[in-house]
């Protein structure tokens, strides 16, 4: 078990955001994952990661700022539950979640924001006010990006990548 897996709050019983993914297992290993119904796949609640680089990338994918793919992997030997976690390409044992992301994109963005706020709460409970504030700011950023996506334009598209100083064309 890696250090990230040991520290994942869900393994300590803390509530943690999940998203539904259809998973096909063979010999207790994940063989396929899909956002939509797939042969021999069963719906499972898959945890969101708890590190900022992964959450940031998932938020970018969910809001359409990145065309990267989402993957699923086992979260170590977490007992009989065999918990799974969303991850990015290159993670050991990662299996790509197939199918269009559009139907679950808004939900993924919301759950990513919820995971970010949960990390902020963990820091606040531990007395780390600066870290909690940083994570809340990250959650606000995810919220703003999601709103820009729903309006049909992003800050980057509006300004063509240039600063607009608050003006919208």
């Amino acid at each position: 078990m890696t250090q990230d897996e040991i520290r994942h709050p869900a393994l300590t019983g803390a509530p943690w955001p999940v998203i539904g993914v259809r998973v096909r297992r063979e010999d207790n290993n994940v063989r396929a994952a899909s956002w939509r119904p797939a042969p021999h796949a069963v719906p499972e609640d898959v945890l969101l990661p708890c590190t900022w680089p992964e959450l940031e990338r998932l938020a970018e994918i969910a809001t359409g700022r990145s065309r990267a793919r989402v993957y699923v992997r086992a979260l170590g030997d977490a007992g009989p539950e065999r918990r799974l976690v969303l991850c990015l390409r290159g993670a050991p044992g990662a299996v790509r979640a197939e199918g269009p992301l559009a139907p679950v994109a808004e939900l993924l963005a919301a759950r990513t924001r919820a995971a970010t706020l949960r990390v902020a709460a963990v820091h606040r409970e531990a007395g780390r006010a600066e870290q909690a504030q940083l994570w809340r700011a990250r959650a606000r950023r995810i919220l703003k990006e999601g709103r820009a996506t729903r309006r049909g334009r992003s800050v980057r598209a509006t300004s063509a990548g240039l600063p607009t100083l608050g003006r919208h064309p």
Side-chain angles (χ1 to χ4, degrees):
M1 201 179 282
T2 67
Q3 197 66 344
D4 287 339
E5 292 166 347
I6 293 169
R7 293 185 305 190
H8 198 291
L11 296 181
T12 63
W16 196 259
V18 296
I19 192 165
V21 178
R22 289 171 178 85
V23 177
R24 182 172 52 89
R25 294 179 185 262
E26 290 177 10
D27 302 326
N28 292 328
N29 295 319
V30 177
R31 290 293 173 214
S34 177
W35 296 114
R36 61 182 177 214
H40 309 291
V42 245
E44 289 192 33
D45 285 336
V46 178
L47 296 165
L48 268 71
C50 61
T51 62
W52 176 242
E54 288 178 307
L55 287 172
E56 179 181 38
R57 184 63 126 173
L58 284 176
E60 290 173 352
I61 294 167
T63 57
R65 292 181 50 230
S66 171
R67 295 183 67 187
R69 301 288 182 217
V70 179
Y71 291 77
V72 176
R73 69 173 173 87
L75 185 64
D77 298 325
E81 292 182 6
R82 300 183 327 236
R83 304 296 303 252
L84 299 175
V85 65
L86 294 182
C87 63
L88 303 172
R89 185 178 183 177
V95 174
R96 181 177 162 189
E98 299 291 337
L101 182 64
V104 294
E106 195 168 325
L107 179 63
L108 178 59
R111 298 290 163 84
T112 303
R113 182 173 178 266
T116 306
L117 288 171
R118 184 67 195 125
V119 173
V122 168
H123 284 296
R124 187 180 63 248
E125 291 165 5
R128 297 184 295 264
E130 288 181 20
Q131 284 293 324
Q133 184 177 3
L134 173 67
W135 281 87
R136 281 193 306 269
R138 291 170 172 170
R140 273 191 305 276
R141 188 170 97 197
I142 293 170
L143 179 65
K144 287 180 180 181
E145 290 169 358
R147 286 180 178 166
T149 299
R150 283 191 299 277
R151 283 193 310 263
R153 62 176 189 208
S154 68
V155 173
R156 175 171 279 168
T158 301
S159 65
L162 302 171
T164 60
L165 300 174
R167 292 174 286 156
H168 297 282

